[in-house]
Amino acid sequence: MSRYVIQPSRLQSGDLGVPGDKSISHRALLLGAIAEGVTHIAGFLEGEDCLATMQAVRQLGVDVEGPHSGDVTVNGVGLRGLRGASTVLDMGNAGTAMRLFMGLLSAQSFDSELRGDASLMRRPMERAAKPLREMGARIETRDGRPPVSIRGGADLHGIRYAMPIASAQVKSAVLLAGLYARGETVVDEPAVTRDHTERMLRTFGCNVALRDGTARLQPPRRLAAAQIVVPGDFSSAAFWIVAACIGAFGPVVVRGVGVNPSRTGLLEMLALMGADLRLFNHRNFGSEPVADIEVRPASLTGARIPARLVPLAIDELPALFIAAACAAGETLVTGAAELRVKETDRIAVMAQGLAEVGIAHEVLPDGLRIEGGSLRGGTVDSGGDHRVAMSFAIAALRASGPLEILDVANVATSYPGFVAAARQAGLAISEAA
Ligand code: S3P
């Protein structure tokens, strides 16, 4: 089982880039596949999660060239051009891939079966299956989890669905099925969730409106191929942003990061804790806003994190917990029960790691109360969770001794090249089998 060993070190000041956005890379492949014409994707994330989506798209009969240094060409087959796969579609570790494919495949004329790795096989899929069934899909889970079997030939109709949980994956699954449904499909979200699907659908020429927490989609006659430039992944930048706050020699700039407001709750949380952050060089990559982010080292103070920010930082909370561990006083995060059904139970796994490095905390059903303090070295088990592994890697910047992090291979799902980037940034990190 691969592991990291990190010796006490500091982040160099200077510039960093991050790999392409995972959410946007998945969506570019899926929409490119069912568009008419040739879609070019630049800055595609060559991580295992998106490669699983690419493999599945190929199994469905779509010719995809690449990836070549982030460049991908998708020869779209049109809305009705997918072909049934001859074998099971393996989504690996990728919850996004599975839930988005559930929506897309519910509307096809052929049967499909979706599986994943051990972590994904434990994750809840009824949240997406239920509204799809309401639309007329014939979709089954096993005790609410994968494998997911989808019977082809269903006749879908649009619905209005009020999501009980704030999930961009569920919203996206319903919208993708809605592309093929009779009538309008409407999704109401209980809190803001990432809107990459809606933005990209518009780029592909589909009429979808997003206002006041409601997405409305009119089924299009066709999607038109597009040129997509994928921004740097804010969720990967998050590790360097927190690292720069807690353990850098001087200012750090992360360049070319996607700053879609449905993703950047971490910046507001850190600002509440006294972080010194600045966004500049604002521009757009297609319909997605991008900026450079400058972070200066700061003495953080614990804060009560407003619940409204939690869905805007759902993937960044492990990194925020490390910021909280390094802050003076108490930080309280609640309203984050969704963390329990991510790649691991991130509340439990982060709590165990915090205990190992000597940080006092209280586990809550829907969050953590963390008392900032001094971190010691030790051995933390990431449970195979990429974001937990990278969060403790940056925690090592403040540990008094070497930190060993176990079961880190899944970092490659979202951040290929993390170790090389970390080393270049000054972290004394090595990876061992
Ligand atoms: C994602 C949505 C979020 C997020 C995940 C990616 C997406 O999941 O945690 O990493 O690309 O739509 P939920 O929809 O379960 O909140």
Side-chain angles (χ1 to χ4, degrees), residues 330-342:
E330 182 182 291
T331 295
L332 177 64
V333 177
T334 56
E338 274 296 297
L339 290 187
R340 295 206 178 268
V341 291
K342 294 294 178 190

Side-chain angles (χ1 to χ4, degrees), residues 220-231:
R221 219 165 268 146
R222 59 190 284 272
L223 296 179
Q227 308 293 319
I228 303 292
V229 183
V230 181

Side-chain angles (χ1 to χ4, degrees), residues 106-108 129-139 150-159 177 181-182:
S106 285
Q108 306 302 321
K130 186 174 169 290
L132 293 171
R133 240 176 253 130
E134 278 179 34
M135 297 176 80
R138 296 186 294 176
I139 183 164
I150 303 166
R151 293 272 302 281
D155 184 21
L156 302 187
H157 53 84
I159 57 169
R182 262 177 296 114

Side-chain angles (χ1 to χ4, degrees), residues 4 236 239 385-395 405 410-411 414-415 418:
Y4 296 152
S236 298
F239 301 110
D385 187 318
H386 56 134
R387 299 207 194 279
V388 174
M390 289 185 275
S391 296
F392 279 101
I394 59 161
I405 306 167
N410 277 339
V411 166
S414 68
Y415 202 144
F418 173 74

Side-chain angles (χ1 to χ4, degrees), residues 97-243:
M98 185 166 288
R99 297 199 180 105
L100 268 55
F101 269 116
M102 284 170 70
L104 181 63
L105 294 174
S106 285
Q108 306 302 321
S109 57
F110 49 82
D111 299 348
S112 306
E113 184 169 337
L114 304 175
R115 291 178 163 271
D117 70 3
S119 153
L120 188 53
M121 293 303 276
R122 288 192 291 268
R123 296 181 63 189
M125 294 300 145
E126 272 303 312
R127 51 178 58 197
K130 186 174 169 290
L132 293 171
R133 240 176 253 130
E134 278 179 34
M135 297 176 80
R138 296 186 294 176
I139 183 164
E140 295 304 328
T141 61
R142 189 184 294 163
D143 298 327
R145 302 187 165 80
V148 178
S149 327
I150 303 166
R151 293 272 302 281
D155 184 21
L156 302 187
H157 53 84
I159 57 169
R160 178 161 196 154
Y161 187 62
M163 288 195 294
I165 43 170
S167 166
Q169 293 175 0
V170 172
K171 174 176 64 174
S172 301
V174 172
L175 293 176
L176 289 171
L179 292 173
Y180 297 85
R182 262 177 296 114
E184 185 182 58
T185 294
V186 183
V187 184
D188 301 304
E189 49 186 21
V192 176
T193 68
R194 63 192 70 191
D195 61 358
H196 304 302
T197 302
E198 298 90 309
R199 286 177 192 243
M200 199 179 286
L201 276 168
R202 279 194 220 118
T203 304
F204 279 82
C206 173
N207 182 5
V208 51
L210 183 65
R211 224 184 45 219
D212 301 331
T214 297
R216 291 177 180 276
L217 176 142
Q218 305 289 342
R221 219 165 268 146
R222 59 190 284 272
L223 296 179
Q227 308 293 319
I228 303 292
V229 183
V230 181
D233 197 325
F234 184 85
S235 299
S236 298
F239 301 110
W240 307 125
I241 293 169
V242 171

